[in-house]
Amino acid sequence: MDERQLRVLRELGELGSVTAVAEALLVTPSAISQQLRLLQRSMPVPLTERDGRRLVLTPAGQALAGAAIDVETAFARARHAVDAFVDEPEGTVSVAAFHSAAAAFLPLLLRGLAGPGHPQLTLADEDVAQEDFPRLAREYDVVLAHRLDHAPPWPDTVAVTPLLHEPLDVAMPEDHPLASKRRLTPHDVADQPWITVHDGFPLMATIEAVAAAANRRLDIRHRINEFTVVAEVVAAGGGLALLPRWTARPHPAVVLRPLGGVHARRHVDALHRPERTARRAVRTVLAQLKRDAATIRSGRSDVPGPGRGRER
């Protein structure tokens, strides 16, 4: 038994014929008859009977048709509740982000959507391996994720809103000998100690590409995922590191230099299940994230050069 079958039964009781019901519901008489047969299969007593050439309701059919009014009313209320939820501008939207994106985007997102008439945000940090980001879309409305240029695309299970295509630069102390160079190659940096992320995290593939391009194994001294900590260790002389140009927090004692010869960029994307964008509040958050991405991109220098530290 479903809502459509109950509506057909109710209309039959009111209109008095299969033909009239078909005309009212803009379907064929055979479609109406099929719905009545399906409904009858789920009932232990007859719902209709012949009165000459007409099909009419039995007493059981009349009782069920009366109950159908309450069912249709309940369904209408349910649809209205869903419509209100979908169109609610101040609905709650959950957003998860990996650490550097969280530091760059979430304050802007909070300020951009502050005040009445905007979605209510619930925020979380999630620093996971690249292949685990799509699974987070089950738990959160929007997930800020990153992947390298040459990494596989995100699976079809999630929709993707691109935010940034961000360069990864070599970070070093401002007095490091390589700081005088405008652009670096893998051979320039291959004999230096390195600070990098743990295995399985996206930036590790770029480190491996540097080693392959220089045809030598890099001296990896430290494994640190959090970029603010990485910058402090770089400033203290712990080694070189790759830092994202726009989303990592600037450090006054650290400079960035572009790296050529390898794919040294990452995509920062907002992942979400396609059905989530049926909600007005989720669409509002995605639109604000795109505006924030433009702010982040325009607020930093595109190519760091000699004599300059991290651009603010």
Side-chain angles (χ1 to χ4, degrees):
M1 179 191 324
D2 63 25
E3 181 190 10
R4 181 173 49 181
Q5 295 163 3
L6 289 174
R7 185 180 181 194
V8 166
L9 187 73
R10 177 186 175 188
E11 296 293 347
L12 180 62
E14 293 183 5
L15 298 176
S17 75
V18 169
T19 301
V21 174
E23 291 175 353
L25 299 183
L26 302 178
V27 297
T28 64
S30 62
I32 296 299
S33 297
Q34 182 185 30
Q35 293 300 314
L36 290 171
R37 285 194 299 270
L38 291 173
L39 180 58
Q40 182 63 70
R41 289 176 189 173
S42 64
M43 294 291 114
V45 295
L47 300 175
T48 61
E49 62 185 1
R50 286 288 172 183
D51 181 10
R53 299 182 63 182
R54 297 174 60 244
L55 188 69
V56 298
L57 300 186
T58 64
Q62 293 171 6
L64 186 57
I69 297 173
D70 294 333
V71 172
E72 284 204 67
T73 301
F75 271 108
R77 288 173 179 162
R79 283 191 292 268
H80 178 74
V82 171
D83 290 343
F85 171 74
V86 165
D87 201 45
E88 173 55 59
E90 297 182 352
T92 299
V93 178
S94 57
V95 180
F98 63 95
H99 290 156
S100 58
F105 278 92
L106 298 189
L108 293 175
L109 190 63
L110 284 168
R111 287 194 286 268
L113 297 179
H118 290 113
Q120 301 298 307
L121 298 173
T122 61
L123 308 177
D125 64 325
E126 291 280 2
D127 192 24
V128 299
Q130 179 180 313
E131 63 269 19
D132 292 330
F133 279 113
R135 288 194 284 271
L136 291 175
R138 294 190 185 98
E139 303 174 40
Y140 302 97
D141 293 311
V142 178
V143 177
L144 298 190
H146 58 141
R147 67 174 184 86
L148 298 178
D149 260 351
H150 52 281
W154 301 114
D156 292 339
T157 55
V158 292
V160 181
T161 299
L163 297 176
L164 295 173
H165 190 205
E166 183 176 30
L168 302 171
D169 296 322
V170 179
M172 65 196 73
E174 58 185 351
D175 59 354
H176 194 281
L178 291 176
S180 62
K181 290 193 168 221
R182 186 167 189 85
R183 190 174 187 84
L184 302 175
T185 70
H187 290 283
D188 292 329
V189 299
D191 62 348
Q192 299 289 322
W194 276 86
I195 308 155
T196 189
V197 296
H198 294 275
D199 287 334
F201 288 81
L203 265 63
M204 194 60 208
T206 302
I207 295 293
E208 293 166 352
V210 171
N215 197 27
R216 61 174 298 174
R217 189 185 187 91
L218 298 187
D219 178 14
I220 297 177
R221 300 281 182 90
H222 312 289
R223 299 272 191 171
I224 303 170
N225 276 16
E226 174 52 58
F227 287 142
T228 55
V229 180
V230 170
E232 293 293 344
V233 176
V234 168
L240 305 184
L242 287 177
L243 287 180
R245 185 176 298 174
W246 299 322
T247 55
R249 182 172 299 172
H251 191 292
V254 172
V255 295
L256 299 184
R257 295 294 174 259
L259 178 63
V262 295
H263 290 286
R265 282 179 177 265
R266 70 174 181 176
H267 296 267
V268 179
D269 300 317
L271 308 184
H272 47 91
R273 289 197 161 189
E275 66 270 19
R276 301 291 177 98
T277 53
R279 294 181 56 208
R280 177 180 173 185
V282 173
R283 297 195 303 272
T284 298
V285 168
L286 291 172
Q288 183 63 45
L289 284 170
K290 288 194 284 188
R291 289 192 291 270
D292 294 340
T295 299
I296 291 167
R297 191 168 49 244
S298 64
R300 306 281 175 83
S301 170
D302 190 55
V303 180
R308 291 183 291 170
R310 286 280 295 158
E311 297 298 319
R312 296 178 182 274

